[in-house]
Amino acid sequence: MADIFDVIADATRRDILGVLKDRHAEEGHSSGEISVSEIVSTLELSQPTVSKHLKVLRDAGLVSVREEGQHRYYRLDSEPLEAVEDWIIPFVASDLGTEGFGVDLADETREFASSVGKVFADTSHRVTTAVERVTPRKWRRD
């Protein structure tokens, strides 16, 4: 199984998780399920791209799927993200005694982490894409 941080480092997967989170929070959608076609439409991505990322999210235990005929309905499973939250909280919630400096460290830390995460995700995607282009299909672990 891929490391949870590797899984959520990808911007497209984070976008998909955001759509699933929003669906879960919407009134009238108590199941929190959304079809692949709705995700495709919301994010304006191709169906194969969304399906590829949903497989990674499913393998990491971040989403569950319900099959109904040829349709697939996905739902967010936030339990694996709790481990990420437990790891991150000490970094953003610590009281470092910044009173009087006019600095809100939590916001500053969040902005920094977001920037680093985006750069990491972009770099990871570029490396993965480059490796996939030069690796013969018979050697891949698809």
Side-chain angles (χ1 to χ4, degrees):
M1 181 170 95
D3 180 69
I4 190 78
F5 289 99
D6 289 336
V7 173
I8 62 175
D10 184 275
T12 302
R13 289 192 283 267
R14 288 193 311 270
D15 290 344
I16 292 170
L17 288 171
V19 168
L20 292 166
K21 179 183 70 69
D22 292 345
R23 175 54 60 103
H24 181 73
E26 287 179 8
E27 287 187 37
H29 292 283
S30 60
S31 69
E33 293 182 336
I34 187 169
S35 69
V36 174
S37 61
E38 288 177 276
I39 297 170
V40 166
S41 175
T42 300
L43 296 177
E44 298 179 349
L45 296 171
S46 71
Q47 187 275 326
T49 297
V50 170
S51 292
K52 177 185 86 165
H53 288 291
L54 284 168
K55 180 185 182 325
V56 173
L57 292 169
R58 191 173 60 246
D59 290 346
L62 290 166
V63 299
S64 59
V65 63
R66 179 178 62 84
E67 298 179 16
E68 187 175 298
Q70 291 186 340
H71 300 283
R72 306 290 180 267
Y73 296 91
Y74 284 86
R75 183 174 51 86
L76 178 66
D77 183 358
S78 60
E79 187 175 324
L81 292 173
E82 291 172 11
V84 174
E85 180 183 43
D86 291 344
W87 187 85
I88 290 175
I89 284 177
F91 293 96
V92 296
S94 63
D95 181 14
L96 299 176
T98 58
E99 300 85 26
F101 291 104
V103 175
D104 186 347
L105 191 57
D107 287 343
E108 191 174 282
T109 303
R110 267 190 288 260
E111 288 176 26
F112 176 74
S114 177
S115 297
V116 169
K118 288 176 184 175
V119 169
F120 178 78
D122 183 56
T123 303
S124 175
H125 175 71
R126 289 175 190 231
V127 168
T128 301
T129 302
V131 168
E132 285 175 355
R133 286 184 182 149
V134 298
T135 304
R137 186 171 259 323
K138 64 182 179 181
W139 293 349
R140 294 184 196 166
R141 287 194 237 171
D142 297 331

